[in-house]
Amino acid sequence: MSDKDIVKLLPRNVAALRRGQTEKDGATLVVGNPVSVRLESGVGNCFPGLECDLRNLERRFFPFLTVDVIGSLIRVASVDTAGVQAAAAAGQLSAAAVAVYQQLAADLTANPPWLIIQIRGTFGPLGVLDVTVANLQVPSTGANRLPPDAWTAVRLLTEGTEVLITLRRNNLTRTLTGNRARYLDDNGALAKMFLPGELTQSLCSPWTHDFRDCGCFYWASNHPDIALPPLPTPTPDVAAVNTSVPWQRAERTLTDFPPAPATPNGGSREMAYYEINTTWQSLNFVAEGREFSGPYEPGKFKGDKFPTRAELVTNLRYAAGVELAVIHEYLTAAYSLRVTGLSGALGRNVTAARAELIRVAASEMRHLRAVNDVLLTLARADNVPTADFIPALRVAARIPDSQPGTFRDVLARPATPQAIQDFIELERPSVSVDGLYSRILATLEDEQNNEMSQTIRSIMAEGENHFETFEFIQEWLGQHSPNQYLLALDLAPPPADNPLHATLQQRYRALLERLFAGYKLGIPAGAVNINAARQAMLGNGGLEGAAAAVAAAGFLVVFDRVNDPRFEPVNNP
């Protein structure tokens, strides 16, 4: 490879880009950072992320100005006078505009400052608006709505479109017109107007007092705001030991659960800056949602293992059937919710509930694959030929109920309050489905198979997330009457000869066929069929579109029994 060959990596940060552009032929080309550090690859890339604070991009939305968005105010922070002069010399700015910029620059240290009080421009999907910043407020819903706040208003402005701003200081008003700034150049790197470190300058510093009043809640992702208090010895038999308390509380005793209400001199007030600096060691480590003031010892997993490999395999196949069965129930409930004609809190709650039901159903599809992966691994360990391996795609005839050892029928029904409560019980930790997986996990751990054990642990961990999600859905929908959010209280399955229903069943059968072919081969050989199955679930031409059509026709979305030994119902062990 010669020095002049084109490299695959392109510069994606400002420093690398500028150096690469100024290198002469024969010099070393700077290729920049890998794609994993690009803005769109950040694990948390808004308000702010762990890598940058994207709010800082909005500070330079208008040509030659840097602004601070503080609550409902947009304040001029600096003026690029050199840029103004260069633009004027190039004939790109009128004398009147230059005079306004000069006046803003001269008054930067004055009190009160210059404020942008009005913006006229194209606000993305909201269209062309004339927005008075002081009038913006939450909530912002319905037709002809305005942005909910100043920052969102600036954020919505479409790049490259003309923007007219009105500025005020005391009784003086001025106007400026310019195009909404672009944040990235044609190479995908940050525009030159951004200074090194500008995107991170507003982030707080961990383990200093910066987080105390940081508006970005920087460390909520990996440090607590609230936690359960540490348990004293002996542990008091009071419900308050399981009541969350502020992690930064000034009151640190172990006898008051929870600490007394906030007072000027103590109680549950947050630590002041000097207290955090001098007594930081009193901020306990948190594990599993609880503070620990001493060494942490993880709890030992408890579960009765299956006595034989055959019983383990039988229960794994039944577990896969349960995953399929609950997917049916969750999708039926999701498509029973209204998706149009709702507004305000009702619309937001129903939209969120439907999205979460579908998300949980998709998660159960991952569990279905995980169980089949474990079954295939066991089969290969037992030297079962690939041709003889039968993937687990038989729907459970009955699923675990709220009490250990009990079962209930699979029910196709709308998202009624009782249905949501049943979903909560189904996903409750250490009970129902989780109880089934606990025995599977105990057996695999006894065989010291770490990879398969971790697979089952991940299923159980996500099951706890599903439990919490259904509690949220119950809270959201519980604020409204079922006749407000259901398509109909008496929603019924379509007739057997309904063409929309027939299309749904055809696509469902095709999906199972693809999954069967993919699971039989495993990864990587089965990846083509598994990916095809994934695509067959999405869009108007997939299972998603067929289910939506049935719901739009006023019917309950149901999945018929498939007349095929590979997919027929499986009984509980």
Side-chain angles (χ1 to χ4, degrees):
M1 178 176 179
S2 70
D3 291 339
K4 295 184 179 180
D5 286 338
I6 298 175
V7 295
K8 293 182 179 180
L9 289 177
L10 296 176
R12 294 303 187 191
N13 62 17
V14 174
L17 176 66
R18 292 176 188 166
R19 183 179 177 189
Q21 289 175 335
T22 58
E23 291 291 340
K24 303 297 183 182
D25 290 344
T28 302
L29 176 64
V30 178
V31 296
N33 292 332
V35 294
S36 60
V37 298
R38 294 178 62 180
L39 289 176
E40 63 268 29
S41 301
V43 297
N45 57 6
C46 192
F47 195 110
L50 300 180
E51 300 85 6
C52 61
D53 185 349
L54 292 194
R55 294 175 299 173
N56 292 334
L57 295 175
E58 317 310 330
R59 301 183 71 229
R60 296 181 179 271
F61 81 97
F62 196 84
F64 312 117
L65 291 185
T66 303
V67 301
D68 289 326
V69 182
I70 306 172
S72 61
L73 300 178
I74 304 178
R75 182 182 66 190
V76 175
S78 68
V79 179
D80 179 11
T81 53
V84 170
Q85 293 170 1
Q92 298 170 348
L93 279 180
S94 67
V98 172
V100 173
Y101 280 115
Q102 289 174 339
Q103 184 172 13
L104 298 179
D107 292 340
L108 284 178
T109 60
N111 188 27
W114 281 96
L115 301 177
I116 298 177
I117 62 169
Q118 205 160 13
I119 305 174
R120 178 173 178 79
T122 303
F123 292 85
L126 303 185
V128 177
L129 298 173
D130 199 341
V131 169
T132 300
V133 177
N135 292 343
L136 300 179
Q137 58 183 349
V138 177
S140 173
T141 60
N144 302 317
R145 66 185 184 274
L146 297 175
D149 53 59
W151 182 82
T152 306
V154 174
R155 184 74 172 172
L156 284 173
L157 287 168
T158 304
E159 282 189 1
T161 59
E162 186 176 84
V163 177
L164 170 67
I165 60 173
T166 302
L167 304 104
R168 174 179 294 168
R169 178 175 176 269
N170 292 328
N171 296 323
L172 299 175
T173 60
R174 298 289 184 268
T175 60
L176 284 171
T177 301
N179 290 338
R180 171 63 151 101
R182 289 185 61 193
Y183 298 142
L184 303 179
D185 62 18
D186 293 337
N187 294 297
L190 283 173
K192 291 184 178 180
M193 61 185 174
F194 293 104
L195 301 176
E198 187 166 351
L199 261 64
T200 58
Q201 65 186 10
S202 57
L203 295 181
C204 46
S205 302
W207 291 113
T208 69
H209 65 248
D210 286 13
F211 66 83
R212 166 64 167 74
D213 287 327
C214 178
C216 67
F217 302 100
Y218 165 78
W219 70 3
S221 62
N222 58 356
H223 293 78
D225 291 320
I226 59 173
L228 297 176
L231 293 176
T233 303
T235 302
D237 186 18
V238 293
V241 299
N242 292 317
T243 301
S244 296
V245 295
W247 182 70
Q248 301 170 41
R249 65 192 181 280
E251 172 57 62
R252 314 300 298 183
T253 64
L254 300 181
T255 57
D256 194 4
F257 296 100
T263 66
N265 299 316
S268 61
R269 66 173 178 83
E270 290 187 334
M271 288 183 173
Y273 302 119
Y274 75 91
E275 290 176 290
I276 293 174
N277 290 340
T278 57
T279 60
W280 57 267
Q281 65 273 16
S282 66
L283 295 172
N284 299 318
F285 286 99
V286 175
E288 299 177 352
R290 184 178 293 280
E291 294 183 17
F292 285 85
S293 55
Y296 166 72
E297 294 183 5
K300 295 185 180 297
F301 175 77
K302 296 180 180 179
D304 297 326
K305 70 184 186 69
F306 296 110
T308 66
R309 173 65 67 87
E311 286 189 60
L312 170 63
V313 171
T314 297
N315 280 271
L316 278 166
R317 291 188 173 277
Y318 172 65
V322 171
E323 300 292 357
L324 267 173
V326 300
I327 289 170
H328 290 182
E329 289 199 351
Y330 297 163
L331 289 179
T332 298
Y335 284 100
S336 72
L337 296 171
R338 294 179 183 271
V339 292
T340 59
L342 303 180
S343 61
L346 173 62
R348 293 192 296 273
N349 288 335
V350 175
T351 299
R354 188 173 189 269
E356 288 298 279
L357 278 165
I358 293 176
R359 181 187 68 81
V360 172
S363 177
E364 304 294 5
M365 285 296 296
R366 293 194 298 272
H367 296 178
L368 177 65
R369 175 181 165 182
V371 174
N372 273 277
D373 286 345
V374 172
L375 283 167
L376 181 58
T377 301
L378 291 173
R380 288 172 174 172
D382 293 339
N383 296 316
V384 175
T386 299
D388 295 338
F389 174 69
I390 305 298
L393 287 168
R394 298 173 62 188
V395 182
R398 307 180 74 211
I399 59 180
D401 206 355
S402 58
Q403 296 299 319
T406 63
F407 301 86
R408 67 168 175 83
D409 293 334
V410 180
L411 302 173
R413 52 187 168 164
T416 61
Q418 183 59 55
I420 302 302
Q421 181 60 46
D422 287 346
F423 296 164
I424 291 174
E425 298 304 324
L426 183 68
E427 301 283 3
R428 188 177 295 278
S430 302
V431 185
S432 300
V433 178
D434 194 58
L436 168 64
Y437 279 116
S438 68
R439 298 198 65 188
I440 293 172
L441 177 59
T443 308
L444 294 173
E445 288 192 337
D446 187 65
E447 295 185 6
Q448 297 184 341
N449 191 309
N450 184 63
E451 182 177 352
M452 289 190 292
S453 297
Q454 291 304 319
T455 298
I456 300 302
R457 279 188 178 275
S458 68
I459 295 175
M460 297 175 70
E462 287 195 11
E464 184 173 357
N465 171 265
H466 297 172
F467 168 73
E468 295 173 346
T469 297
F470 286 129
E471 287 193 316
F472 289 139
I473 293 175
Q474 185 180 62
E475 179 183 346
W476 299 334
L477 297 183
Q479 302 173 36
H480 315 284
S481 172
N483 62 3
Q484 293 179 287
Y485 58 78
L486 293 177
L487 290 173
L489 292 176
D490 57 349
L491 205 60
D497 59 351
N498 182 276
L500 297 176
H501 178 72
T503 298
L504 176 63
Q505 306 316 308
Q506 292 168 2
R507 294 181 183 179
Y508 173 57
R509 171 66 181 263
L511 171 66
L512 293 178
E513 295 279 3
R514 290 188 177 97
L515 289 175
F516 189 91
Y519 292 165
K520 189 175 184 68
L521 298 175
I523 298 296
V528 172
N529 284 304
I530 293 174
N531 286 334
R534 184 183 296 114
Q535 293 302 317
M537 286 187 269
L538 305 174
N540 291 332
L543 197 71
E544 179 183 18
V550 171
F555 295 113
L556 197 66
V557 172
V558 296
F559 298 90
D560 295 340
R561 174 176 175 171
V562 179
N563 187 22
D564 186 313
R566 299 173 299 170
F567 309 128
E568 287 184 342
V570 58
N571 293 320
N572 55 280

